[in-house]
Amino acid sequence: MRLFRLSRSLTVAVALLVLTGASLSIGAAGDKPGGGPDAPDRIAARLLGEEIASGGAYAKLAWLTDRIGPRLSGSAGAEKAVAWALDEFRRDGMSRVRAEKVMVPRWVRGEERAVIVSPVAQPLTITALGMSVPTPPEGITAPVVEVSSFDELRAAGDKVRGAIVLMNKKTVAHRHGAGYGETSSLRYRGPSEAARVGAAAFLIRSLGTLVARLPHTGALGYLEDAPKIPAAAVTEEDADLIHRLLAAGETVRVSLVLGCRTLPDVESANVVAELRGRSLPDEVVVIGGHLDSWDLGTGAIDDGAGVAISMEALRLLKTLGLRPRRTIRAVLFMNEENGVRGGKGYAEAHASEIKQHVAAIESDGGAGRPTGFTLRAGEGAAEAVRALARSLRGLGADEVDTKGGGGTDIGPLGKAGCPVLELRQDMTRYFDWHHTAGDTLDKVDPTELAQNAAAMAFMAYALADRAEPLPRLPPEAAQPAGR
């Protein structure tokens, strides 16, 4: 036991050095003004040290991904994940652990097959876009029209009628995912925009950043004023193949078969647990990620990591006896991927108490090294959050960006005026694996995951223990900027 305690003490000491660049004499650092046992830098170091020593976040993520696996909303995997999360929160000693009912869509992938039938026979590697309608059982065979934007699509005119549209625009890797922000609307709105001009089906170049013949799924959103046509993602290599054939003056015909279908909504749940505040327990800081995942991989980076980070943040604070003024509530949202029913449902269920939600932090950017937070809040909040984030500067997690702010599931809270933040990770390689069969545990570095859990725990604690809550968003400014 002594060796274990010494090891943990040394881990905390090293963490303090990493976070603050302090001298080797931890005692000397503690004797300085503001360097006592409850100083922010030391709290951050204790959280990081505990997480590195315990590996709790990685253990949670390993169980969720390896033992439960894919968790598309409405599936058996999603319901197993709800039951596991409830049990895990209880094992960690959290209070008011509960499942809050939410009705979710049930979409099933089914058969997916495509092939170039002329000018040459070539199989294509595809995957249906989430919520797509199926093709007829015999499939759709039609010529391909290639475009790279909605403007090009509209300009194509009659060429599109009865054709299969290929939306071919490359997603560029970026530290904070800006490339995906530039192409994701093409996937979401593309099928309806193509249907409006008479297309029979829609293909999109996968919104990935790794050329590995790995198709990326993701939700589409059918618009009410357009017909519903089948839609799928094709790999980058196959999109380039079609492009080369078209550029050579060939007419490219593709046969597409999709067997996906949408079943009636089913009952599921958000999972909620709390670390109760010591003096203002009715005021709440929400932290969370989404428990559902796509069905191709095991949802490690999207968003098992955010789930593990949020669950572990509560455990870290409880283990270290760090009980803030206000309650910290972890919410594991269901159905972020294809409906956002969990995020909307939480806001509706807690509408009467949203004015007592003083902040919300989401983690849905993977498990790369933490770089800081995005923020949307009232005037003066940025300076306050930057001051708090200085204790994470040794991790490089002290950036505070006010151009974005918040995530999909906490968006409804932001619309109601609650200050919203998102834990930001280095996403340079995130879209290599996002929404693919390659989203598995081996893509997660345990040390970087530990750093994220510590950063989340620290910021949640700092906001919950702050003497005054952050300034709220005025209603007219509370709309999310989007990714």
Side-chain angles (χ1 to χ4, degrees):
M1 182 63 74
R2 281 185 185 174
L3 287 175
F4 177 80
R5 287 177 178 169
L6 177 60
S7 173
R8 198 165 288 245
S9 297
L10 288 174
T11 303
V12 173
V14 171
L16 185 60
L17 294 176
V18 169
L19 286 164
T20 68
S23 69
L24 285 173
S25 174
I26 299 300
D31 293 336
K32 294 178 181 178
D38 294 323
D41 288 355
R42 188 171 290 277
I43 289 172
R46 291 177 65 201
L47 290 166
L48 179 60
E50 168 63 27
E51 181 56 26
I52 290 173
S54 68
Y58 193 79
K60 286 176 168 64
L61 181 59
W63 189 278
L64 179 63
T65 56
D66 289 351
R67 305 300 184 94
I68 297 175
R71 306 174 298 282
L72 189 59
S73 67
S75 68
E79 297 320 295
K80 288 179 182 177
V82 168
W84 166 81
L86 290 167
D87 288 344
E88 190 73 10
F89 273 133
R90 291 178 182 129
R91 279 191 292 269
D92 286 342
M94 297 304 131
S95 62
R96 301 189 67 200
V97 177
R98 65 218 186 253
E100 296 187 350
K101 176 182 172 180
V102 59
M103 298 300 292
V104 300
R106 178 76 172 105
W107 179 81
V108 179
R109 183 168 299 279
E111 181 184 11
E112 38 194 34
R113 175 166 46 88
V115 59
I116 297 174
V117 295
S118 66
V120 293
Q122 287 272 23
L124 301 174
T125 302
I126 66 161
T127 192
L129 297 184
M131 307 308 290
S132 174
V133 297
T135 64
E138 68 276 13
I140 293 172
T141 302
V144 175
V145 174
E146 179 188 24
V147 297
S148 62
S149 69
F150 292 142
D151 287 341
E152 284 186 25
L153 176 61
R154 288 185 282 268
D158 290 341
K159 289 193 300 182
V160 174
R161 192 164 302 278
I164 297 174
V165 166
L166 170 63
M167 183 66 71
N168 193 357
K169 184 175 177 63
K170 187 174 180 62
T171 299
V172 179
H174 185 275
R175 181 170 175 250
H176 288 142
Y180 181 75
E182 294 173 1
T183 54
S184 58
S185 65
L186 301 178
R187 183 196 70 215
Y188 189 78
R189 291 174 42 211
S192 290
E193 296 291 351
R196 280 174 169 166
V197 290
F202 178 84
L203 295 175
I204 188 168
R205 181 189 187 103
S206 283
L207 307 189
T209 50
L210 176 69
V211 180
R213 211 167 192 197
L214 194 62
H216 295 237
T217 191
L220 59 78
Y222 286 124
L223 305 179
E224 293 182 0
D225 62 348
K228 295 180 179 181
I229 61 174
V234 63
T235 66
E236 295 190 79
E237 295 92 331
D238 289 344
D240 286 340
L241 168 61
I242 293 171
H243 171 80
R244 290 192 299 270
L245 293 172
L246 290 170
E250 303 280 6
T251 297
V252 178
R253 292 179 62 84
V254 164
S255 178
L256 172 69
V257 176
L258 297 179
C260 44
R261 62 196 189 279
T262 300
L263 304 176
D265 288 359
V266 299
E267 182 177 329
S268 189
N270 294 328
V271 179
V272 182
E274 295 178 356
L275 180 67
R276 296 288 284 173
R278 67 178 189 271
S279 58
L280 297 169
D282 293 333
E283 295 185 10
V284 177
V285 171
V286 165
I287 61 175
H290 65 86
L291 193 54
D292 62 306
S293 77
W294 282 110
D295 53 328
L296 301 180
T298 59
I301 61 171
D302 186 23
D303 183 33
V307 166
I309 287 163
S310 301
M311 297 177 79
E312 187 67 1
L314 283 194
R315 187 200 70 81
L316 287 171
L317 294 169
K318 185 173 180 63
T319 297
L320 296 177
L322 294 169
R323 189 180 176 196
R325 287 182 173 91
R326 300 174 183 84
T327 293
I328 301 177
R329 177 182 294 166
V331 183
L332 310 183
F333 298 96
M334 182 56 69
N335 184 233
E336 187 271 351
E337 293 292 5
N338 60 333
V340 199
R341 301 278 186 87
K344 294 173 182 176
Y346 176 84
E348 291 169 3
H350 296 269
S352 63
E353 58 179 275
I354 287 181
K355 288 185 178 179
Q356 293 177 294
H357 282 53
V358 300
I361 314 173
E362 187 169 330
S363 177
D364 188 16
R369 183 182 62 80
T371 64
F373 298 84
T374 61
L375 170 70
R376 283 190 300 113
E379 187 175 353
E383 293 78 5
V385 174
R386 287 190 178 103
L388 298 175
R390 288 190 194 110
S391 292
L392 300 172
R393 61 193 179 277
L395 290 180
D398 57 331
E399 296 178 3
V400 177
D401 182 358
T402 58
K403 293 180 181 178
T408 301
D409 283 314
I410 60 174
L413 299 180
K415 289 182 180 181
C418 176
V420 289
L421 301 88
E422 186 167 23
L423 175 61
R424 180 177 264 188
Q425 291 92 0
D426 185 335
M427 300 176 73
T428 306
R429 300 267 62 89
Y430 177 73
F431 291 104
D432 288 359
W433 314 112
H434 171 262
H435 292 184
T436 75
D439 183 3
T440 48
L441 182 65
D442 53 287
K443 309 309 184 302
V444 175
D445 179 274
T447 299
E448 291 181 345
L449 185 66
Q451 292 169 344
N452 277 286
M456 174 70 91
F458 175 80
M459 185 56 71
Y461 176 85
L463 293 174
D465 201 52
R466 197 167 179 266
E468 295 294 331
L470 293 178
R472 297 181 73 79
L473 282 159
E476 65 274 11
Q479 300 300 316
R483 289 194 185 190

